[in-house]
Coordinates of all heavy atoms in Angstrom, one line a residue:
Chain B
A18 N 21.3 -12.0 -17.8 CA 22.3 -11.4 -18.7 C 23.2 -10.4 -18.0 O 23.6 -9.4 -18.6 CB 21.6 -10.8 -19.9
Y19 N 23.4 -10.5 -16.7 CA 24.2 -9.6 -15.9 C 25.1 -10.4 -15.0 O 24.8 -11.5 -14.6 CB 23.4 -8.6 -15.1 CG 22.5 -7.7 -16.0 CD1 21.2 -8.1 -16.3 CD2 23.1 -6.6 -16.7 CE1 20.4 -7.3 -17.1 CE2 22.3 -5.8 -17.5 CZ 21.0 -6.2 -17.8 OH 20.3 -5.4 -18.6
P20 N 26.3 -9.9 -14.7 CA 27.2 -10.6 -13.8 C 26.7 -10.8 -12.4 O 25.8 -10.0 -11.9 CB 28.5 -9.7 -13.8 CG 28.0 -8.4 -14.2 CD 26.8 -8.5 -15.1
P21 N 27.2 -11.7 -11.6 CA 26.8 -12.0 -10.3 C 26.8 -10.8 -9.4 O 25.9 -10.6 -8.5 CB 27.7 -13.1 -9.8 CG 28.2 -13.8 -11.0 CD 28.3 -12.7 -12.1
E22 N 27.8 -9.9 -9.5 CA 28.0 -8.8 -8.6 C 26.7 -7.9 -8.7 O 26.2 -7.4 -7.7 CB 29.2 -8.0 -9.0 CG 29.5 -6.8 -8.2 CD 28.7 -5.5 -8.7 OE1 28.5 -5.5 -10.0 OE2 28.4 -4.7 -7.9
R23 N 26.3 -7.7 -9.9 CA 25.1 -6.8 -10.1 C 23.8 -7.5 -9.6 O 23.0 -6.8 -8.9 CB 25.0 -6.5 -11.6 CG 23.9 -5.5 -12.0 CD 24.0 -5.3 -13.5 NE 23.0 -4.4 -14.0 CZ 23.3 -3.3 -14.7 NH1 24.6 -2.8 -14.7 NH2 22.4 -2.5 -15.2
L24 N 23.7 -8.7 -9.8 CA 22.5 -9.5 -9.4 C 22.5 -9.5 -7.8 O 21.5 -9.4 -7.2 CB 22.6 -10.9 -10.0 CG 21.5 -11.9 -9.6 CD1 20.1 -11.3 -9.9 CD2 21.7 -13.2 -10.4
W25 N 23.7 -9.7 -7.2 CA 23.8 -9.8 -5.8 C 23.3 -8.5 -5.1 O 22.6 -8.6 -4.1 CB 25.3 -10.0 -5.4 CG 25.4 -10.2 -3.9 CD1 26.0 -9.3 -3.0 CD2 25.1 -11.3 -3.1 NE1 26.0 -9.8 -1.8 CE2 25.4 -11.0 -1.8 CE3 24.5 -12.6 -3.4 CZ2 25.2 -11.9 -0.7 CZ3 24.3 -13.5 -2.4 CH2 24.7 -13.2 -1.1
R26 N 23.6 -7.4 -5.7 CA 23.1 -6.1 -5.2 C 21.6 -6.1 -5.2 O 20.9 -5.6 -4.3 CB 23.7 -4.9 -6.0 CG 25.1 -4.6 -5.6 CD 25.6 -3.3 -6.1 NE 25.8 -3.3 -7.5 CZ 25.4 -2.3 -8.4 NH1 24.9 -1.3 -7.9 NH2 25.7 -2.5 -9.7
A27 N 21.0 -6.5 -6.3 CA 19.5 -6.5 -6.4 C 18.9 -7.5 -5.4 O 17.8 -7.2 -5.0 CB 19.1 -6.9 -7.8
L28 N 19.6 -8.5 -5.0 CA 19.1 -9.5 -4.1 C 19.3 -9.1 -2.7 O 18.6 -9.6 -1.8 CB 19.8 -10.9 -4.3 CG 19.6 -11.6 -5.6 CD1 20.4 -12.9 -5.6 CD2 18.1 -12.1 -5.7
T29 N 20.2 -8.1 -2.4 CA 20.5 -7.8 -1.0 C 20.4 -6.4 -0.5 O 20.6 -6.1 0.6 CB 22.0 -8.3 -0.7 OG1 22.8 -7.6 -1.6 CG2 22.1 -9.8 -0.8
Q30 N 20.2 -5.5 -1.5 CA 20.0 -4.1 -1.0 C 18.5 -3.7 -0.9 O 17.8 -3.9 -1.9 CB 20.7 -3.1 -2.0 CG 22.2 -3.3 -2.0 CD 23.0 -2.4 -2.9 OE1 22.4 -1.5 -3.5 NE2 24.3 -2.5 -3.0
P31 N 18.1 -3.3 0.3 CA 16.6 -3.2 0.5 C 15.9 -2.3 -0.5 O 14.8 -2.7 -0.9 CB 16.6 -2.5 1.9 CG 17.9 -3.0 2.6 CD 18.9 -3.1 1.5
H32 N 16.5 -1.2 -0.9 CA 15.7 -0.3 -1.8 C 15.6 -1.0 -3.2 O 14.6 -0.8 -3.9 CB 16.4 1.0 -2.0 CG 17.7 1.0 -2.7 ND1 18.9 0.5 -2.1 CD2 18.1 1.4 -3.9 CE1 19.9 0.7 -3.0 NE2 19.4 1.2 -4.1
L33 N 16.6 -1.9 -3.6 CA 16.5 -2.6 -4.8 C 15.5 -3.8 -4.7 O 14.7 -4.1 -5.6 CB 17.9 -3.1 -5.3 CG 18.8 -1.9 -5.6 CD1 20.2 -2.5 -6.0 CD2 18.3 -1.1 -6.8
M34 N 15.6 -4.5 -3.5 CA 14.7 -5.6 -3.3 C 13.3 -5.2 -3.4 O 12.4 -6.0 -3.8 CB 15.0 -6.2 -1.9 CG 16.3 -7.0 -1.8 SD 16.7 -7.3 0.0 CE 15.5 -8.6 0.4
E35 N 13.0 -4.0 -2.9 CA 11.6 -3.5 -2.9 C 11.1 -3.4 -4.3 O 9.9 -3.6 -4.5 CB 11.6 -2.1 -2.2 CG 10.2 -1.6 -2.1 CD 10.1 -0.3 -1.3 OE1 11.0 0.1 -0.6 OE2 9.1 0.5 -1.6
E36 N 12.0 -3.1 -5.3 CA 11.5 -2.9 -6.6 C 11.1 -4.2 -7.3 O 10.3 -4.2 -8.2 CB 12.6 -2.3 -7.5 CG 12.9 -0.8 -7.0 CD 13.3 0.0 -8.2 OE1 12.8 -0.2 -9.3 OE2 14.2 0.9 -8.0
W37 N 11.7 -5.3 -6.9 CA 11.3 -6.6 -7.6 C 10.6 -7.6 -6.6 O 9.9 -8.5 -7.1 CB 12.5 -7.2 -8.3 CG 13.5 -7.8 -7.3 CD1 14.6 -7.1 -6.8 CD2 13.6 -9.1 -6.8 NE1 15.3 -8.0 -6.0 CE2 14.7 -9.2 -6.0 CE3 12.8 -10.3 -7.0 CZ2 15.1 -10.4 -5.3 CZ3 13.1 -11.4 -6.3 CH2 14.3 -11.5 -5.5
L38 N 10.8 -7.4 -5.3 CA 10.2 -8.4 -4.4 C 9.1 -7.8 -3.5 O 7.9 -7.9 -3.8 CB 11.3 -9.0 -3.5 CG 11.0 -10.2 -2.6 CD1 10.4 -11.3 -3.4 CD2 12.2 -10.6 -1.8
M39 N 9.5 -7.1 -2.4 CA 8.6 -6.5 -1.5 C 9.3 -5.5 -0.7 O 10.5 -5.5 -0.6 CB 7.9 -7.5 -0.6 CG 7.0 -8.5 -1.2 SD 6.3 -9.6 0.1 CE 6.5 -11.2 -0.8
K40 N 8.5 -4.6 0.0 CA 9.1 -3.7 1.0 C 9.7 -4.6 2.1 O 9.2 -5.6 2.4 CB 8.0 -2.9 1.6 CG 7.5 -1.7 0.8 CD 6.6 -0.8 1.6 CE 6.4 0.6 1.1 NZ 6.0 0.7 -0.3
N41 N 10.9 -4.1 2.6 CA 11.6 -5.0 3.5 C 12.6 -4.2 4.4 O 12.9 -3.0 4.1 CB 12.4 -6.0 2.7 CG 13.5 -5.3 1.9 OD1 14.6 -5.1 2.3 ND2 13.1 -4.8 0.7
D42 N 13.1 -4.8 5.4 CA 14.2 -4.2 6.3 C 15.3 -5.2 6.3 O 15.8 -5.6 7.4 CB 13.7 -3.8 7.6 CG 13.0 -5.0 8.4 OD1 12.4 -5.8 7.7 OD2 13.1 -5.0 9.6
F43 N 15.6 -5.8 5.2 CA 16.7 -6.8 5.0 C 18.1 -6.2 5.3 O 18.3 -5.0 5.1 CB 16.6 -7.3 3.6 CG 17.7 -8.3 3.3 CD1 17.5 -9.7 3.6 CD2 18.9 -8.0 2.7 CE1 18.5 -10.6 3.3 CE2 19.9 -8.9 2.4 CZ 19.7 -10.2 2.8
A44 N 18.9 -7.1 5.8 CA 20.4 -6.8 5.9 C 21.1 -8.1 5.7 O 20.6 -9.1 6.3 CB 20.7 -6.2 7.3
P45 N 22.2 -8.1 4.9 CA 22.8 -9.4 4.6 C 23.7 -9.9 5.7 O 24.9 -10.1 5.6 CB 23.6 -9.1 3.3 CG 23.9 -7.6 3.5 CD 22.8 -7.0 4.2
I46 N 23.1 -10.1 6.9 CA 23.9 -10.6 8.1 C 23.2 -11.8 8.6 O 22.0 -11.8 8.9 CB 23.8 -9.5 9.2 CG1 24.5 -8.2 8.6 CG2 24.5 -9.9 10.4 CD1 24.1 -6.9 9.4
V47 N 23.9 -12.9 8.8 CA 23.4 -14.1 9.3 C 22.7 -13.9 10.7 O 23.3 -13.2 11.6 CB 24.4 -15.2 9.4 CG1 23.9 -16.5 10.2 CG2 24.9 -15.6 8.1
G48 N 21.5 -14.3 10.9 CA 20.8 -14.1 12.1 C 19.9 -12.9 12.1 O 19.0 -12.8 13.0
H49 N 20.0 -12.0 11.1 CA 19.2 -10.8 11.0 C 17.7 -11.2 10.8 O 17.5 -12.0 9.8 CB 19.7 -9.9 9.9 CG 18.8 -8.7 9.7 ND1 18.8 -7.6 10.6 CD2 18.0 -8.4 8.7 CE1 17.9 -6.7 10.1 NE2 17.4 -7.2 9.0
Q50 N 16.8 -10.7 11.6 CA 15.4 -10.9 11.4 C 14.8 -9.7 10.7 O 15.1 -8.6 11.0 CB 14.7 -11.2 12.7 CG 15.3 -12.5 13.4 CD 14.6 -12.8 14.6 OE1 13.8 -12.0 15.2 NE2 14.7 -14.1 15.1
F51 N 14.0 -10.0 9.7 CA 13.4 -8.9 8.9 C 12.0 -9.3 8.4 O 11.6 -10.5 8.6 CB 14.3 -8.5 7.7 CG 14.4 -9.6 6.7 CD1 13.7 -9.5 5.5 CD2 15.3 -10.6 6.9 CE1 13.9 -10.5 4.5 CE2 15.5 -11.6 5.9 CZ 14.8 -11.5 4.7
K52 N 11.3 -8.4 7.9 CA 9.9 -8.6 7.4 C 9.8 -8.2 5.9 O 10.4 -7.2 5.5 CB 8.9 -7.9 8.2 CG 8.8 -8.4 9.7 CD 7.6 -7.8 10.4 CE 7.5 -8.1 11.8 NZ 7.7 -9.6 12.2
L53 N 9.1 -9.0 5.2 CA 8.7 -8.6 3.8 C 7.2 -8.3 3.8 O 6.4 -9.0 4.4 CB 8.9 -9.8 2.9 CG 10.4 -10.3 2.6 CD1 10.4 -11.6 1.9 CD2 11.1 -9.2 1.8
R54 N 6.9 -7.1 3.3 CA 5.6 -6.6 3.4 C 5.0 -6.5 2.0 O 5.4 -5.7 1.2 CB 5.5 -5.2 4.0 CG 6.0 -5.3 5.5 CD 6.0 -3.9 6.1 NE 6.7 -4.0 7.4 CZ 6.1 -4.4 8.6 NH1 4.8 -4.7 8.5 NH2 6.8 -4.4 9.7
G55 N 4.0 -7.4 1.7 CA 3.4 -7.4 0.4 C 2.4 -6.3 0.2 O 1.8 -5.8 1.2
E56 N 2.2 -5.9 -1.0 CA 1.2 -4.9 -1.3 C -0.2 -5.3 -0.9 O -1.1 -4.4 -0.8 CB 1.3 -4.5 -2.8 CG 2.5 -3.8 -3.2 CD 2.6 -3.6 -4.7 OE1 1.6 -3.8 -5.4 OE2 3.7 -3.1 -5.2
W57 N -0.5 -6.6 -0.8 CA -1.8 -7.0 -0.5 C -2.0 -7.0 1.0 O -3.1 -7.3 1.5 CB -2.0 -8.4 -1.0 CG -1.3 -9.5 -0.3 CD1 -1.8 -10.3 0.7 CD2 0.1 -9.9 -0.5 NE1 -0.8 -11.1 1.1 CE2 0.3 -10.9 0.4 CE3 1.1 -9.5 -1.4 CZ2 1.6 -11.5 0.5 CZ3 2.3 -10.1 -1.3 CH2 2.6 -11.1 -0.4
G58 N -1.0 -6.5 1.8 CA -1.2 -6.4 3.2 C -0.6 -7.5 4.0 O -0.5 -7.5 5.3
G59 N -0.2 -8.6 3.4 CA 0.4 -9.7 4.1 C 1.9 -9.4 4.5 O 2.6 -8.6 3.8
V60 N 2.3 -10.0 5.6 CA 3.6 -9.8 6.1 C 4.3 -11.1 6.3 O 3.7 -12.0 6.9 CB 3.6 -9.0 7.5 CG1 5.0 -8.9 8.0 CG2 3.0 -7.6 7.3
L61 N 5.5 -11.3 5.8 CA 6.3 -12.5 5.9 C 7.4 -12.3 7.0 O 8.0 -11.2 6.9 CB 6.9 -12.9 4.6 CG 5.9 -13.3 3.5 CD1 6.5 -13.2 2.1 CD2 5.4 -14.7 3.7
D62 N 7.5 -13.2 7.9 CA 8.6 -13.2 8.9 C 9.8 -14.0 8.3 O 9.6 -15.1 8.0 CB 8.1 -13.8 10.2 CG 6.9 -13.1 10.7 OD1 7.0 -11.9 10.9 OD2 5.9 -13.7 11.0
C63 N 10.9 -13.3 8.3 CA 12.1 -13.9 7.7 C 13.3 -13.7 8.7 O 13.4 -12.8 9.5 CB 12.4 -13.2 6.4 SG 11.0 -13.1 5.3
E64 N 14.3 -14.7 8.5 CA 15.5 -14.6 9.2 C 16.6 -15.1 8.3 O 16.5 -16.1 7.6 CB 15.5 -15.5 10.4 CG 16.8 -15.4 11.2 CD 16.8 -16.2 12.5 OE1 15.7 -16.4 13.1 OE2 17.8 -16.7 12.9
V65 N 17.7 -14.3 8.2 CA 18.8 -14.7 7.3 C 19.6 -15.9 7.9 O 20.0 -15.9 9.0 CB 19.8 -13.5 7.2 CG1 21.0 -13.9 6.2 CG2 19.1 -12.3 6.7
L66 N 19.7 -16.9 7.0 CA 20.4 -18.2 7.4 C 21.8 -18.3 6.9 O 22.7 -18.7 7.7 CB 19.6 -19.4 6.9 CG 18.1 -19.5 7.4 CD1 17.5 -20.7 6.7 CD2 18.1 -19.7 8.9
E67 N 22.0 -17.9 5.7 CA 23.4 -18.0 5.1 C 23.6 -16.9 4.1 O 22.7 -16.5 3.4 CB 23.5 -19.4 4.4 CG 23.5 -20.6 5.3 CD 23.8 -21.9 4.5 OE1 24.9 -22.1 4.1 OE2 22.8 -22.6 4.2
V68 N 24.8 -16.4 4.1 CA 25.2 -15.3 3.2 C 26.6 -15.7 2.7 O 27.6 -15.7 3.4 CB 25.3 -13.9 3.9 CG1 25.7 -12.9 2.9 CG2 24.0 -13.6 4.5
E69 N 26.7 -15.9 1.3 CA 28.0 -16.1 0.7 C 28.0 -15.1 -0.5 O 27.4 -15.3 -1.5 CB 28.2 -17.5 0.1 CG 28.6 -18.5 1.1 CD 28.8 -19.8 0.3 OE1 29.6 -19.8 -0.6 OE2 28.1 -20.8 0.7
P70 N 28.6 -13.9 -0.3 CA 28.5 -12.8 -1.3 C 28.7 -13.3 -2.7 O 29.7 -14.0 -3.0 CB 29.6 -11.8 -0.8 CG 29.6 -12.0 0.7 CD 29.4 -13.5 0.9
Q71 N 27.8 -12.9 -3.5 CA 27.8 -13.2 -5.0 C 27.6 -14.6 -5.3 O 27.8 -15.0 -6.5 CB 29.0 -12.6 -5.6 CG 29.1 -11.1 -5.5 CD 30.2 -10.4 -6.2 OE1 30.6 -10.8 -7.2 NE2 30.8 -9.4 -5.5
R72 N 27.4 -15.5 -4.3 CA 27.2 -16.9 -4.6 C 25.9 -17.5 -4.1 O 25.3 -18.3 -4.8 CB 28.4 -17.7 -4.0 CG 29.7 -17.4 -4.7 CD 30.9 -18.2 -4.2 NE 30.5 -19.6 -4.2 CZ 31.2 -20.5 -3.6 NH1 32.3 -20.2 -2.9 NH2 30.9 -21.8 -3.6
M73 N 25.6 -17.2 -2.8 CA 24.5 -17.8 -2.2 C 23.9 -17.0 -1.1 O 24.6 -16.4 -0.3 CB 24.9 -19.2 -1.7 CG 23.7 -20.1 -1.4 SD 23.2 -20.1 0.3 CE 24.4 -21.2 1.0
L74 N 22.5 -17.0 -1.0 CA 21.8 -16.3 0.0 C 20.6 -17.2 0.4 O 19.9 -17.7 -0.5 CB 21.3 -14.9 -0.5 CG 20.4 -14.2 0.4 CD1 21.1 -13.7 1.6 CD2 19.8 -13.0 -0.4
S75 N 20.4 -17.3 1.7 CA 19.3 -18.1 2.2 C 18.6 -17.5 3.4 O 19.3 -16.9 4.2 CB 19.9 -19.5 2.6 OG 18.9 -20.3 3.2
Y76 N 17.3 -17.4 3.3 CA 16.5 -16.9 4.5 C 15.2 -17.7 4.7 O 14.7 -18.2 3.7 CB 16.3 -15.4 4.5 CG 15.9 -14.8 3.2 CD1 14.5 -14.8 2.8 CD2 16.8 -14.2 2.3 CE1 14.1 -14.1 1.7 CE2 16.4 -13.5 1.2 CZ 15.0 -13.5 0.9 OH 14.6 -12.9 -0.3
T77 N 14.7 -17.6 5.9 CA 13.4 -18.2 6.2 C 12.3 -17.3 5.6 O 12.5 -16.1 5.4 CB 13.1 -18.4 7.7 OG1 13.1 -17.2 8.3 CG2 14.2 -19.3 8.3
W78 N 11.2 -17.9 5.3 CA 10.1 -17.3 4.6 C 8.8 -17.8 5.3 O 8.3 -18.8 4.8 CB 10.2 -17.6 3.1 CG 9.2 -17.1 2.2 CD1 7.9 -17.5 2.1 CD2 9.3 -16.0 1.3 NE1 7.2 -16.8 1.1 CE2 8.1 -15.9 0.6 CE3 10.3 -15.2 0.9 CZ2 7.9 -15.0 -0.4 CZ3 10.1 -14.3 -0.1 CH2 8.9 -14.2 -0.8
D79 N 8.4 -17.2 6.4 CA 7.3 -17.7 7.1 C 6.1 -16.8 7.1 O 6.2 -15.6 7.1 CB 7.7 -18.0 8.6 CG 8.7 -19.0 8.7 OD1 9.1 -19.7 7.8 OD2 9.3 -19.1 9.9
F80 N 4.9 -17.4 7.0 CA 3.7 -16.6 7.1 C 2.9 -17.2 8.2 O 2.4 -18.3 8.1 CB 2.9 -16.7 5.7 CG 1.7 -15.8 5.7 CD1 1.8 -14.4 5.7 CD2 0.4 -16.4 5.7 CE1 0.7 -13.6 5.7 CE2 -0.7 -15.6 5.7 CZ -0.6 -14.2 5.7
A81 N 2.7 -16.4 9.3 CA 2.0 -16.9 10.4 C 0.5 -16.7 10.2 O 0.1 -15.6 9.7 CB 2.4 -16.1 11.7
S82 N -0.3 -17.7 10.5 CA -1.7 -17.6 10.3 C -2.4 -18.6 11.2 O -1.9 -19.8 11.3 CB -2.1 -17.8 8.9 OG -3.5 -17.9 8.8
D83 N -3.5 -18.2 11.8 CA -4.3 -19.2 12.7 C -4.9 -20.2 11.8 O -5.3 -21.3 12.2 CB -5.3 -18.4 13.5 CG -4.7 -17.5 14.5 OD1 -3.6 -17.7 14.9 OD2 -5.4 -16.5 14.9
D84 N -5.1 -19.8 10.5 CA -5.8 -20.7 9.6 C -4.7 -21.6 8.9 O -3.9 -21.1 8.2 CB -6.5 -19.9 8.6 CG -7.3 -20.8 7.6 OD1 -7.0 -22.0 7.5 OD2 -8.3 -20.3 7.0
P85 N -4.7 -22.9 9.2 CA -3.7 -23.8 8.6 C -3.7 -23.8 7.0 O -2.7 -24.2 6.4 CB -4.0 -25.2 9.1 CG -5.5 -25.1 9.6 CD -5.7 -23.6 10.0
A86 N -4.8 -23.3 6.5 CA -4.8 -23.2 5.0 C -3.8 -22.1 4.5 O -3.5 -22.1 3.3 CB -6.2 -22.9 4.5
F87 N -3.4 -21.2 5.4 CA -2.5 -20.1 4.9 C -1.2 -20.1 5.6 O -0.3 -19.5 5.1 CB -3.3 -18.8 5.1 CG -4.5 -18.7 4.3 CD1 -5.7 -18.9 4.9 CD2 -4.5 -18.4 3.0 CE1 -6.9 -18.9 4.2 CE2 -5.6 -18.4 2.2 CZ -6.9 -18.6 2.8
A88 N -1.1 -20.7 6.8 CA 0.2 -20.7 7.5 C 1.3 -21.4 6.6 O 1.0 -22.3 5.9 CB 0.1 -21.5 8.8
L89 N 2.5 -20.8 6.7 CA 3.5 -21.3 5.8 C 4.9 -21.1 6.6 O 5.1 -20.1 7.2 CB 3.6 -20.5 4.5 CG 4.7 -20.7 3.6 CD1 4.8 -22.1 3.0 CD2 4.7 -19.7 2.4
E90 N 5.7 -22.2 6.5 CA 7.0 -22.1 7.0 C 7.9 -22.7 6.0 O 7.8 -23.8 5.6 CB 7.2 -22.9 8.3 CG 6.5 -22.3 9.5 CD 6.7 -23.1 10.8 OE1 7.5 -24.1 10.8 OE2 6.1 -22.8 11.8
S91 N 8.8 -21.8 5.5 CA 9.7 -22.3 4.4 C 11.0 -21.6 4.4 O 11.2 -20.7 5.2 CB 9.0 -22.1 3.0 OG 8.8 -20.7 2.8
V92 N 11.9 -22.1 3.6 CA 13.3 -21.5 3.5 C 13.5 -21.2 2.0 O 13.3 -22.1 1.1 CB 14.4 -22.5 4.0 CG1 15.8 -21.9 3.7 CG2 14.2 -22.7 5.5

Side-chain angles (χ1 to χ4, degrees):
Chain B
Y19 298 98
E22 178 277 329
R23 189 175 174 119
L24 181 55
W25 183 256
R26 282 193 287 140
L28 291 175
T29 57
Q30 294 183 3
H32 69 287
L33 296 174
M34 288 169 71
E35 183 179 339
E36 293 212 36
W37 69 271
L38 186 58
M39 292 181 221
K40 281 189 161 55
N41 66 91
D42 55 328
F43 177 85
I46 300 160
V47 172
H49 175 72
Q50 296 185 344
F51 64 102
K52 293 193 188 305
L53 291 170
R54 299 178 189 276
E56 287 174 10
W57 71 97
V60 177
L61 294 159
D62 299 306
C63 308
E64 180 179 333
V65 180
L66 299 175
E67 291 183 77
V68 181
E69 280 184 54
Q71 300 182 37
R72 291 184 53 192
M73 197 266 279
L74 173 67
S75 173
Y76 46 82
T77 62
W78 177 286
D79 295 351
F80 185 71
S82 174
D83 295 336
D84 186 340
F87 298 99
L89 171 66
E90 290 183 6
S91 64
V92 173

